Amino acid sequence: MNPIGALATFAGLTDGVECAAMKRQAVMTGVYVLAILTVFALLGTSVLEGLGALSRVIGFLTLAIGVELVTHGVLAAK
């Protein structure tokens, strides 16, 4: 699983929902489901494979945050 999966979960759970509290609950449900699936995926591997997978996930998240910061900086400069 990755952040793209979390975004797809969020989009699917909040499609057509108008209430802010329901959207918040849908987001939290998506985050919990993704966290549980990630834990089970990492528990099913050896320690070294799990660390490698975890470092890739953290690297991808760092890259996504960096891209977001650059995008906001470029848009703010315009």
Side-chain angles (χ1 to χ4, degrees):
M1 301 305 280
N2 56 35
I4 305 300
L7 291 174
T9 303
F10 170 73
L13 290 174
T14 61
D15 187 31
V17 176
E18 297 298 325
C19 179
M22 289 181 69
K23 280 188 179 184
R24 195 171 325 131
Q25 185 175 1
V27 170
M28 293 309 297
T29 302
V31 168
Y32 289 141
V33 168
L34 185 63
I36 290 169
L37 289 175
T38 302
V39 167
F40 283 133
L42 290 175
L43 287 176
T45 64
S46 70
V47 173
L48 291 178
E49 289 173 350
L51 290 176
L54 189 59
S55 70
R56 286 189 182 104
V57 168
I58 291 172
F60 185 76
L61 290 174
T62 305
L63 177 67
I65 291 169
V67 168
E68 181 180 356
L69 289 174
V70 169
T71 303
H72 283 287
V74 169
L75 292 176
K78 285 186 177 183

